[in-house]
Amino acid sequence: MTEEFEVTPYKVSGEVDYDELVDRFGTKKIDDDLIDRLARHGPLHIMLRRGIFYSHRDLDWVLDQYDKGVGFTLYTGRGPSGPVHIGHTMPWLFTKYLQDTFKASLWFQLTDDEKFMFYDHLSLEETKRWGYENALDIIALGFDPDLTNIFLDTEYIKTMYPTAVKAAKRINFSTIRAVFGFDNSNNIGSIFFTSIQTVPCFLESMQRESNVPCLIPCGIDQDPHFRVTRDIAEGLGFLKPALVHAKLMPSLAGSEKMSTSTKGEDTVFMTDDEATTKRKIMNAFTGGRVSVEEQRREGGNPEICAVYQYCLYYFEPDDAKLAELHASCQSGSILCGECKSRLFDKVWKFLENHQVAREKAKDRIEEFFVRD
Amino acid sequence: MTEEFEVTPYKVSGEVDYDELVDRFGTKKIDDDLIDRLARHGPLHIMLRRGIFYSHRDLDWVLDQYDKGVGFTLYTGRGPSGPVHIGHTMPWLFTKYLQDTFKASLWFQLTDDEKFMFYDHLSLEETKRWGYENALDIIALGFDPDLTNIFLDTEYIKTMYPTAVKAAKRINFSTIRAVFGFDNSNNIGSIFFTSIQTVPCFLESMQRESNVPCLIPCGIDQDPHFRVTRDIAEGLGFLKPALVHAKLMPSLAGSEKMSTSTKGEDTVFMTDDEATTKRKIMNAFTGGRVSVEEQRREGGNPEICAVYQYCLYYFEPDDAKLAELHASCQSGSILCGECKSRLFDKVWKFLENHQVAREKAKDRIEEFFVRD
């Protein structure tokens, strides 16, 4: 029997059953037909192959529109409450794949207002500063500057506010209570916020003064925002945004969603140095046994192992090697230390390259940012 | 026994007992000392003499600040949902008196976002258009262009939004329920709105980067917004705004607050022509009797008479003449037709001058407007 779990943009708790979540949210699984269809546009992304991006709303329709020559725009975002970690970058790397494959424009929202209103300990000045810090990580991933618009809510509000207000008029507090689990103790900014979150779905259409389909790659925890958006989009004269949903990357402690609210030891930040990265990975939660002897005899459990999950999500792109790793773990022929060390090499190579690109990004902010 | 009544920025119902409202809202009456103090700065405004502006919060403190040389700024506003009527201009004329007397700067907010979110039948484009229409009436009243900043919320949102978000973080839905009588069926824009309404109290301080006392002249129905503001102002690093409250001008039908939601026959708009103005005033509700004979015998009742109220509020500035009118009505020596005709002459003179100034205001918009 499945343990109780809860998933909203503001709370993930319990052991998430991703298949059940598809039923609960009323989304669709990405099926083999859709996978085949995506594969015809270019090499299939690892996160599609591995079922990390596994759920969608109207992704088939977006591909129809693309095939008809209408094209589509992409929208994703980041709540700038602290440094970016590896888990954050997973949907962004997937977004880059979509941009590269479909030559799609991208609206990248930094919700400095949201993070300020939801976190007691952060000032608006701090979330804005984190927005610019986080933008360096976004730019470093290699998005096309000609196709990418990064913006902070507080710096793009004049453009967004009229549409946000039109959205807000169509959403009552009953809906917010039901969708986000809010109550009377929520502040009125947090209650209003989903109407700001709605607008980037329509920014390309607003700019072109003509409706453009929008596809949102995001963690499935963000889906509730866009269920609200989809309910009101047509009433506002826009197309319903489509979504493609990822499972949430586990932390190094093995929990459902990497979080920056721990002291940071469960999470590899994009700016961590080599020693820090090594320490964190070497301390990761694994599916190993209490002793070497027992592990050699009984084998480990890759399914609950954070190190294996990291490989699965991104860090072992070779499917054959991943399968081998899985088997070796189960048979007891590989021990956790070796696996961790192997993962560290891959993660550190990724971070090292990223950190070089991130330095260069400091001179490239203006190539990407849009402001009122 | 007092009839049940309700006063919020969004609903005025029943027969308002203004003395009781002071107790309910926890404001203070403007007493003789305060009247004397105001009189020392220049001729006392008719609406102070007549007890139309009758309640306040911290007006004495604002005068202290003025006497110390600190000065103060003024803030008032208009919800642009239709044409301006005479009732709207009463607090604005009082605001002009304050500006002239104390050489105070003025922030005049046009809440196009609010009126759109609260009225089903209005589009945001319409409320914005009404904003510019209404601004002509505001400018025509003679505010000092060097001291006056008029702005539409949607055009000044980039300046206001960060502070609105900081305000919103400190206000929860429980407070909104209690203060405005909202419930779960309210849209999330209407719930958020009071945080936008809060910001103009601080605009002068934000612009000068130094705290400036703010005085808000307004109808007492608007007080709840600023009770919320006063609760959070110091937490945001600003001074609590002070208020001076007016009673609500009755309509020509004799009800508590003039309203543009009737078909307009109970209300004289600033752009009404002579014939329309005459028709409306000649059809006004009075305290007259059913027949001339009865009125000559029993006298009329000026207390319930809309024509008398118009004279009291503004249109008979001579206190001796007003007293004479009151007595003549009660004694039956003057009949309603004569009173109406007398009022019409005064109102039409006021409107005629206004309409000339309003035409000229069309070329003066840019002297007054501020935008992001």
Side-chain angles (χ1 to χ4, degrees), chain A residues 113 116 119 122 125 155 158 161 165-166 168-169 171-174 176 184-188 192 372, chain B residues 113 116 119 122 125 155 158 161 165-166 168-169 171-174 176 184-188 192 372:
Chain A
D113 49 353
F116 164 69
Y119 287 117
L122 286 171
E125 292 67 27
E155 292 186 344
K158 193 171 185 180
Y161 188 69
V165 158
K166 290 177 189 179
K169 189 174 179 177
I171 306 167
N172 63 24
F173 187 56
S174 297
I176 297 300
N184 290 355
S185 72
N186 273 88
N187 76 57
I188 60 175
F192 176 69
D372 286 317
Chain B
D113 50 352
F116 165 69
Y119 287 117
L122 286 172
E125 291 67 26
E155 292 186 344
K158 193 171 186 180
Y161 188 68
V165 157
K166 291 176 189 179
K169 189 174 181 177
I171 306 167
N172 64 23
F173 188 56
S174 298
I176 297 299
N184 290 356
S185 72
N186 272 90
N187 77 57
I188 61 175
F192 177 68
D372 285 317

